[in-house]
Amino acid sequence: MKIAGLRKLTLLDFPGRVACVVFTNGCNFRCPFCHNASLVLPRGESEEVSEEEFFAFLKKRKGILDGVVITGGEPTLAKGLYEFIVAVKQEGYPVKLDTNGSFPDKLKPLLADGLLDYVAMDIKSVPEKYEAVAGVKVDMDALAESIEAIRTSGVPHEFRTTVVKGLHTEADIVGVAQMLGEGEAYYLQGFVDSGDILADGCAAFSDEEMHAMCERAKEFCPKCELRGIE
């Protein structure tokens, strides 16, 4: 599998674990607020890490790291993802996968074969606004299939929405919360300009507005929480 980048240490991306983050190139969505634009639309030569280098790194970090996060881009597009995760698991590391859920045929075998220890799926918006937020035509049936597969897998998981002014309203967030229901962990993340954004013009809601949205969402999804906002 091609590794487009490696963050050697994170305390935030894999709940309860000290992990590294593996980045993959390419994505089928074009969310204007994407904070990894250079992975979605690679420009020039990327700083790729070979699998040999990566697994040598993992061996050296045993006893320090206790998790590997695979993110993107959209990791389920990566050739060799299944085999890569098998190799990571053979080294004794739990694996978290970040996904947009648009390829259930790639996600379901990973869940069924016990290769994932945590899954985070991005939910972009309510169904009627999904394509406007994702920037492309979206197979909503595929997304629903992924959500159901994650929900019923027995694997620890979360759903999350990056909330962007001009793209989302409180009603949208409430709609997603209603869709997920009482039993699911749902995180709202405020938009942050990483300096590597896919499109200009994105803006964040205030902390007060984010808190208000979260409180409304909690009426339908009590496990809704804010991430990155006090």
Side-chain angles (χ1 to χ4, degrees):
M1 187 185 81
K2 287 186 178 180
I3 301 172
L6 174 64
R7 182 182 300 152
K8 294 184 176 181
L9 181 68
T10 176
L11 303 177
L12 302 174
D13 295 274
F14 196 152
R17 295 188 179 275
V18 178
C20 65
V21 183
V22 172
F23 295 90
T24 65
N25 267 332
C27 187
N28 56 315
F29 285 1
R30 293 294 182 268
C31 309
F33 54 89
C34 177
H35 65 282
N36 282 333
S38 59
L39 296 175
V40 173
L41 297 171
R43 305 178 183 105
E45 293 186 14
S46 61
E47 296 181 7
E48 290 186 3
V49 178
S50 70
E51 285 198 18
E52 183 179 8
E53 290 175 279
F54 174 71
F55 284 104
F57 163 78
L58 277 192
K59 291 178 188 296
K60 290 179 181 178
R61 293 302 188 275
K62 285 189 176 178
I64 300 171
L65 299 179
D66 63 352
V68 174
V69 178
I70 304 175
T71 191
E74 172 49 42
T76 56
L77 283 170
K79 292 181 180 179
L81 175 66
Y82 186 100
E83 294 77 9
F84 179 79
I85 294 177
V86 167
V88 172
K89 296 287 284 184
Q90 287 174 341
E91 291 294 331
Y93 286 91
V95 172
K96 173 185 177 243
L97 181 73
D98 293 341
T99 182
N100 64 25
S102 53
F103 297 100
D105 58 323
K106 302 291 181 62
L107 176 62
K108 290 166 77 172
L110 297 172
L111 292 167
D113 294 348
L115 294 177
L116 301 179
D117 301 276
Y118 197 96
V119 181
M121 178 175 164
D122 291 310
I123 297 184
K124 304 301 180 180
S125 190
V126 288
E128 58 269 25
K129 292 179 68 175
Y130 224 94
E131 293 185 358
V133 177
V136 294
K137 187 173 178 58
V138 178
D139 184 344
M140 295 304 301
D141 290 338
L143 296 184
E145 188 177 344
S146 288
I147 290 171
E148 186 62 18
I150 292 168
R151 281 174 138 166
T152 59
S153 66
V155 175
H157 59 271
E158 66 181 58
F159 299 97
R160 60 195 186 187
T161 300
T162 299
V163 189
V164 184
K165 186 168 284 191
L167 293 177
H168 298 97
T169 66
E170 183 178 281
D172 298 333
I173 301 307
V174 169
V176 175
Q178 288 175 313
M179 178 182 70
L180 292 176
E182 294 189 357
E184 298 299 334
Y186 179 40
Y187 289 91
L188 303 181
Q189 304 173 159
F191 167 73
V192 177
D193 188 343
S194 67
D196 189 22
I197 304 299
L198 203 58
D200 296 328
C202 297
F205 285 93
S206 69
D207 288 359
E208 292 75 15
E209 289 171 319
M210 292 292 293
H211 277 284
M213 278 189 268
C214 186
E215 288 305 308
R216 285 282 287 118
K218 280 180 181 288
E219 296 174 21
F220 304 96
C221 184
K223 295 172 72 174
C224 182
E225 295 182 24
L226 297 176
R227 176 170 283 152
I229 297 172
E230 295 296 328

